[in-house]
Amino acid sequence: RVRAGETIAIVGAAGGVGSALLQLAKAADLETIALVRSATKAAFASGQGAAHVIDTSREDLHSRIDDITRGRGVDLIVDPVGGDGFINHLDLLAPVGMLVLYGLIDGLPEADVFKAQTGLWGRSPAVRLFSIHAYDAHPDITGADMALLMDMAAQGRIAPVIHAELPLEMAREAHEMLDANTIIGKVLLQPHRTEPRFTL
């Protein structure tokens, strides 16, 4: 529920969902901060039009966010990682900002997230968990959203980033690529495909 001109920090902005979020955030006129973990992914996010790019493998996240937002913090942070680092994102939020966890790449946060929120009570930070399955009982909403996305794609306002299209029997290789942190965009496994096709 952010508004045009507000800030969004996207964890994993060079990934499949992250790159889609970056495109959607730009289309919504948000000030985008792409968080990535390599120089190659930083270059990709910059090429995708991110207003700011932070390579967390070599830059201090908190000081960069502080510089970018002039100490105010970020209105929205979206995170597919979770794990031990999740709780630290609360410190990056602007007053009444929101931190959204939509994946568990590093597992559940083990720290007491609610206790950390209460420690920042004066800033009213919010934490939300998100799953697309929250809308399973609302096909009208998901249908309207899909129609909107298809229209945006047809107009060229968004374009899914595909790293590779692989035969289904290359699922192991796909997981190895994911584990090696070398993928930019999405990897597709296609049952009908006989040869791999790399686009990035």
Side-chain angles (χ1 to χ4, degrees):
R1 295 176 182 159
V2 284
R3 295 174 293 232
E6 293 185 331
T7 52
I8 179 172
I10 302 166
V11 178
V17 177
S19 60
L21 286 169
L22 178 57
Q23 292 183 29
L24 291 169
K26 283 181 52 194
D29 294 322
L30 301 179
E31 184 176 0
T32 53
I33 305 170
L35 309 184
V36 297
R37 290 187 297 169
S38 74
T40 300
K41 292 184 176 185
F44 167 79
S46 181
Q48 289 286 298
H52 310 277
V53 180
I54 302 174
D55 179 352
T56 58
S57 71
R58 60 182 188 84
E59 298 178 272
D60 182 73
L61 177 60
H62 285 72
S63 63
R64 283 295 316 278
I65 291 288
D66 197 51
D67 289 344
I68 291 167
T69 65
R70 297 176 196 84
R72 180 177 176 274
V74 179
D75 296 297
L76 176 64
I77 301 173
V78 287
D79 180 13
V81 178
D84 292 338
F86 180 77
I87 198 169
N88 299 327
H89 293 329
L90 286 169
D91 294 329
L92 304 175
L93 289 175
V96 198
M98 181 179 290
L99 171 56
V100 177
L101 179 64
Y102 71 91
L104 295 170
I105 293 171
D106 279 353
L108 285 168
E110 292 191 11
D112 188 336
V113 176
F114 185 69
K115 182 177 180 181
Q117 279 182 273
T118 59
L120 299 166
W121 202 308
R123 297 174 74 84
S124 301
V127 173
R128 166 160 285 168
L129 307 178
F130 178 76
S131 167
I132 193 66
H133 297 295
Y135 291 93
D136 284 353
H138 302 281
D140 54 327
I141 294 174
T142 54
D145 288 345
M146 183 60 73
L148 174 64
L149 291 172
M150 291 296 103
D151 187 51
M152 291 176 76
Q155 294 174 20
R157 295 174 62 203
I158 59 171
V161 178
I162 307 300
H163 183 90
E165 299 170 64
L166 305 177
L168 187 57
E169 57 268 19
M170 289 185 68
R172 176 180 175 176
E173 289 85 345
H175 282 280
E176 289 170 350
M177 291 164 59
L178 286 167
D179 291 342
N181 193 32
T182 58
I183 292 174
I184 292 176
K186 207 70 167 166
V187 171
L188 304 180
L189 292 172
Q190 300 169 326
H192 66 279
R193 181 169 289 281
T194 58
E195 295 291 330
R197 177 174 177 261
F198 293 90
T199 53
L200 287 177

